[in-house]
Amino acid sequence: MKQKKNRKGLTKDIMYCPYCGGRTELRSADGIYHDNRDGTMLYVCKNYPACDAYVRVHPGTTIPMGTLANKKVRTLRCEAHKHFNKIYLKGIMTREEAYEWLSHMLGLPIADTHIGQMGEYYCQKVIEESKKLLASHQKRSFPRADEGRLAQCS
């Protein structure tokens, strides 16, 4: 985000679309979301819908929840969250431990480890590594029925 001073000397954040270079505008999600009963606000590329980049803001603020993303990246971020969140929702790690693991696994500082700021490459890595961790935990947590008998015979 760039900052621009207005006539009163106050700064205003200006975001530009990483896909087409267009300026963004803060607007309601009406017309983008099928159901916007919650009054969700978005930063949207001025070239929408030709350029479909946007990002939600934290409720009641103008703070973006990440960076502008096109449909492909938004879909990947959603999938990355789906798999990553299972790590702490299933009790494998606490939420804080899961983010520390993710930070270490991606080689990013913890302060920069936010799925809402990731592009395609890092989202794919989050999905892949989260699936591996979940699968390895499931194997350890749920041994096959015959594994118990084999252990008793040894």
Side-chain angles (χ1 to χ4, degrees):
M1 267 194 270
K2 293 184 180 182
Q3 291 190 333
K4 180 180 179 183
K5 287 190 177 187
N6 65 16
R7 283 187 245 157
K8 295 181 182 177
L10 301 173
T11 59
K12 179 181 177 184
D13 291 333
I14 300 172
M15 287 194 308
Y16 292 92
C17 177
Y19 301 97
C20 73
R23 288 178 74 158
T24 62
E25 54 187 19
L26 182 64
R27 60 172 263 199
S28 168
D30 293 345
I32 295 176
Y33 287 7
H34 294 289
D35 178 10
N36 191 28
R37 279 183 249 163
D38 297 337
T40 301
M41 298 295 288
L42 308 168
Y43 281 104
V44 182
C45 177
K46 266 198 151 168
N47 296 319
Y48 184 87
C51 178
D52 73 342
Y54 60 84
V55 63
R56 271 185 10 194
V57 300
H58 289 278
T61 74
T62 59
I63 301 168
M65 295 181 89
T67 58
L68 259 67
N70 62 13
K71 184 171 180 70
K72 182 176 183 178
V73 173
R74 289 191 308 271
T75 301
L76 283 169
R77 286 177 180 175
C78 185
E79 187 176 351
H81 264 295
K82 181 180 97 177
H83 295 290
F84 174 73
N85 291 355
K86 287 179 188 177
I87 294 168
Y88 59 87
L89 292 174
K90 290 185 175 208
I92 297 169
M93 297 178 195
T94 66
R95 188 173 187 269
E96 292 75 22
E97 290 169 339
Y99 273 100
E100 287 174 12
W101 167 80
L102 185 61
S103 167
H104 178 74
M105 189 264 306
L106 295 175
L108 296 172
I110 192 82
D112 296 334
T113 307
H114 302 286
I115 293 170
Q117 295 176 345
M118 294 179 184
E120 292 178 40
Y121 173 79
Y122 280 114
C123 284
Q124 291 286 8
K125 290 294 287 179
V126 171
I127 294 163
E128 177 186 319
E129 296 298 327
S130 295
K131 282 181 174 181
K132 282 184 201 174
L133 181 69
L134 290 162
S136 72
H137 185 268
Q138 187 172 4
K139 288 177 187 173
R140 283 185 272 140
S141 299
F142 305 105
R144 294 186 332 213
D146 61 343
E147 285 180 351
R149 285 196 301 266
L150 291 172
Q152 292 172 352
C153 297
S154 307

